[in-house]
Amino acid sequence: MARELVKLTNYETGEERTVAVTQGHMLAVVAKAGAHRGNFANALMMAYLAADDDAWDLTGQDLVDGAARFFTQWDYEEGAGEPDAPLAPKSE
């Protein structure tokens, strides 16, 4: 996995975002979330990290819960065009 593009679509607004998921995201999920939770769950958490800079502050179950909340608003589809920038941090 060098870089995989994932298309995210907001259910409410229809906004589409494309994020690049890298090996760094995979390593971060393993380090932050701990135990292997299955390939699809890991893929969702990697896309969450790629899409939302605030996700990098989360670890363990908080990362899992954050991804779960994120994907109640966004649809996940593998394969897409060019990546967009991550969402702006909420702290701004």
Side-chain angles (χ1 to χ4, degrees):
M1 166 196 224
R3 178 177 97 148
E4 182 176 324
L5 297 176
V6 174
K7 183 173 108 177
L8 304 172
T9 306
N10 187 294
Y11 290 119
E12 293 180 14
T13 66
E15 175 188 0
E16 292 183 352
R17 300 189 52 75
T18 299
V19 297
V21 177
T22 66
Q23 291 175 339
H25 293 106
M26 180 174 48
L27 292 171
V29 165
V30 171
K32 291 174 168 290
H36 183 74
R37 299 175 190 276
N39 290 338
F40 188 65
N42 285 346
L44 291 176
M45 286 187 283
M46 289 186 292
Y48 175 48
L49 286 171
D52 190 340
D53 283 340
D54 288 337
W56 288 92
D57 296 331
L58 304 175
T59 60
Q61 190 62 42
D62 291 337
L63 177 60
V64 175
D65 293 344
R69 281 190 301 277
F70 183 82
F71 284 105
T72 62
Q73 298 175 343
W74 294 87
D75 184 38
Y76 171 98
E77 180 183 340
E78 292 181 357
E82 288 300 310
D84 298 313
L87 299 173
K90 295 178 183 122
S91 56
E92 292 181 350

